[in-house]
Amino acid sequence: MLKSFLRPMPAALLLAASLLTGCASTTQGGAIGANRSQLLLVSEAEMAQSAQQYYAQQNAQARAKGQLITSGAEYERVHTIMRRIVPQVAHFRADALNWKWQLVLINQPEINAHVMPGGKVTFYTGIIRQLKLSNDEIAAIMGHEMAHALREHSREKASVQQASGLAISLGAKMLGVNQGQMALIGMGKKLALDLPFSRSMESEADALGLELAARAGYDPRAALTLWDKMAATGDNGPTWLSTHPAPASRKEEMAALLPKVMP
């Protein structure tokens, strides 16, 4: 009798079980009410290790080119903003206060910034200089990128890719799908799942970032002027083909949230 209960679980049931056990939420909702269950199949430790390796490699390459900035007036300006925002992360997740928050500037014209799991912050001088950012606008970017790290969007995205990839693979085997059909399925998955999911994460980071900056005493209305500047520099192609929402729609969504965060 015991052997009958030890038969291998069908792959579809394994997938369903993993989806059920992998749902959680990494943060509290805050004043904006960002409450949502997340699929987290990939471990937090695995993502943190990958982030640390990438950060070290990025910094080593920038240092070798003489582009790594870790002191000076421009660095201290951004570092001061980061230090003001970091205590506010406790409103979303208390454990993030214990992250080893670290900032580097990279002297490149790239209009970019990112915050990796564990609080590893990178700003490119290009985004500060070319957009002529105010402190409030830097805070809007900092809050947005911190929100990605707090919500562990990279971990969630990897988990969704893992689950959807397994589901497609199982379905293809069951239905006898050929290679050409798999390519079409992959394109459909990108348009119907991957890109909309990426855009929703960006909108979520906009909202959480707005609150983080406001709690730190920065004017959240600066996010609106920031996206006016970003719209003037970016490629405004079709939103449905982009990983990010259109600047105009982002600005509209953040404007609607201002009454919640202005206090």
Side-chain angles (χ1 to χ4, degrees):
M1 289 291 292
L2 183 60
K3 289 183 179 180
S4 65
F5 292 99
L6 296 179
R7 287 178 297 183
M9 184 180 292
L13 292 181
L14 279 172
L15 175 61
S18 68
L19 294 179
L20 288 173
T21 57
C23 289
S25 183
T26 56
T27 63
Q28 302 297 316
I32 58 169
N35 296 304
R36 169 176 75 81
S37 183
Q38 299 172 269
L39 182 64
L40 301 169
L41 302 178
V42 178
S43 75
E44 183 178 358
E46 183 180 349
M47 294 303 299
Q49 182 179 12
S50 296
Q52 183 60 49
Q53 290 173 349
Y54 178 87
Y55 195 68
Q57 183 181 29
Q58 163 201 272
N59 295 347
Q61 291 176 348
R63 186 179 292 109
K65 296 176 182 177
Q67 298 172 335
L68 192 70
I69 302 174
T70 56
S71 63
E74 192 171 31
Y75 176 87
E76 287 304 323
R77 180 188 180 203
V78 182
H79 195 234
T80 297
I81 294 168
M82 185 187 81
R83 288 201 309 267
R84 277 180 58 176
I85 297 178
V86 165
Q88 310 309 319
V89 302
H91 292 282
F92 294 100
R93 55 183 296 174
D95 67 309
L97 283 174
N98 299 320
W99 289 359
K100 295 180 179 179
W101 291 91
Q102 181 183 353
L103 168 71
V104 294
L105 290 184
I106 296 181
N107 189 16
Q108 291 181 7
E110 188 173 340
I111 298 179
N112 197 11
H114 58 79
V115 178
M116 305 190 75
K120 307 305 180 189
V121 183
T122 301
F123 263 71
Y124 289 82
T125 56
I127 196 169
I128 300 170
R129 297 171 186 173
Q130 292 184 45
L131 300 187
K132 297 180 173 59
L133 298 180
S134 67
N135 286 353
D136 292 310
E137 289 169 339
I138 292 175
I141 295 172
M142 184 76 73
H144 172 93
E145 299 301 336
M146 282 183 173
H148 278 308
L150 295 174
R151 285 293 280 171
E152 298 188 58
H153 281 156
S154 57
R155 179 184 173 200
E156 184 180 11
K157 190 176 291 186
S159 299
V160 170
Q161 289 289 339
Q162 186 180 98
S164 60
L166 178 57
I168 288 174
S169 178
L170 290 172
K173 286 181 180 179
M174 292 173 61
L175 299 173
V177 174
N178 61 40
Q179 196 169 14
Q181 291 169 326
M182 279 296 291
L184 289 174
I185 291 172
M187 179 59 70
K189 170 180 167 292
K190 179 179 179 180
L191 294 175
L193 176 64
D194 298 346
L195 293 178
F197 190 53
S198 179
R199 291 193 293 270
S200 71
M201 286 182 171
E202 290 299 322
S203 295
E204 188 171 62
D206 284 343
L208 269 69
L210 203 68
E211 182 171 340
L212 279 170
R215 286 185 179 277
Y218 292 101
D219 188 346
R221 292 171 294 188
L224 308 186
T225 61
L226 169 66
W227 281 106
D228 284 336
K229 293 179 179 181
M230 292 293 287
T233 64
D235 175 15
N236 298 315
T239 300
W240 60 279
L241 286 175
S242 176
T243 57
H244 290 56
S249 65
R250 297 178 85 153
K251 183 179 176 181
E252 184 179 344
E253 289 174 3
M254 285 187 282
L257 288 171
L258 286 178
K260 292 185 178 181
V261 300
M262 282 301 290

